[in-house]
Amino acid sequence: MKVILLTDVKGVGRKGDKKEVADGYAGNFLVPRGLAAPATSGVVRGVEEAKAVERKKSVRARSRARSVARTLRKEPLIFEEKVSPAGTLYSAVTGEKIVAAVRPLAGDIDIKVELDRPIKEPGEHRVRITLNNDTTVDARCTVRSSEE
């Protein structure tokens, strides 16, 4: 039986693939669990339209990620933190804080920050940020003392 996979199925294929599977496997497992649908012309057309929409979203997200990366290369991320008399930060700059600082620029694209350890001292630091799983930028993070 020909089916269209509605989700990734291990050992069978990825979402949107058109596959020939055993009738029993399709009728007793894939279709009842919502993992696949019979490959009728309507379902095939719907899946192709969904793929086209997904491709357009991917192109827009990739373009947005490149734009954000250009901005991050030019301008540092600036953090104002309290500094102890010993010269270390009371509250470290973590990956979560960096993601929160990049989020207004990036919107809904995926952001991942690579830090060996949280930043605990003021100054200029390099941080690797991956946007949309395919655009990587080495951003500058400037940590300054906040006077209070």
Side-chain angles (χ1 to χ4, degrees):
M1 169 183 252
K2 284 193 186 282
V3 296
I4 297 288
L5 297 177
L6 302 175
T7 62
D8 292 350
V9 179
K10 188 175 182 178
V12 179
R14 300 185 55 80
K15 179 179 179 179
D17 288 351
K18 188 175 181 181
K19 293 288 183 173
E20 179 74 35
V21 296
D23 290 346
Y25 184 54
N28 295 323
F29 184 77
L30 294 175
V31 175
R33 287 178 171 77
L35 302 174
T40 63
S41 61
V43 172
V44 170
R45 193 174 327 108
V47 168
E48 288 171 356
E49 289 172 2
K51 280 184 177 181
V53 168
E54 192 62 35
R55 276 192 297 272
K56 286 180 184 177
K57 279 184 184 178
S58 177
V59 168
R60 280 192 297 252
R62 194 173 302 122
S63 172
R64 180 81 176 151
R66 288 183 186 135
S67 172
V68 171
R70 280 191 297 274
T71 302
L72 291 174
R73 282 187 193 100
K74 292 177 186 174
E75 301 173 20
L77 295 168
I78 299 173
F79 296 93
E80 299 275 336
E81 300 290 335
K82 289 184 181 179
V83 179
S84 72
T88 60
L89 301 178
Y90 282 116
S91 175
V93 176
T94 62
E96 290 82 19
K97 285 185 179 180
I98 295 169
V99 168
V102 174
R103 180 65 57 206
L105 295 170
D108 62 347
I109 62 175
D110 188 37
I111 304 168
K112 293 184 181 128
V113 176
E114 295 176 34
L115 276 178
D116 293 334
R117 56 186 165 9
I119 299 170
K120 296 182 180 180
E121 57 278 333
E124 185 92 10
H125 303 275
R126 289 279 180 194
V127 177
R128 179 162 290 206
I129 300 173
T130 304
L131 304 163
N132 199 38
N133 295 323
D134 64 353
T135 305
T136 303
V137 60
D138 287 326
R140 291 179 294 147
C141 288
T142 302
V143 181
R144 297 180 186 160
S145 171
S146 65
E147 301 298 324
E148 286 188 22

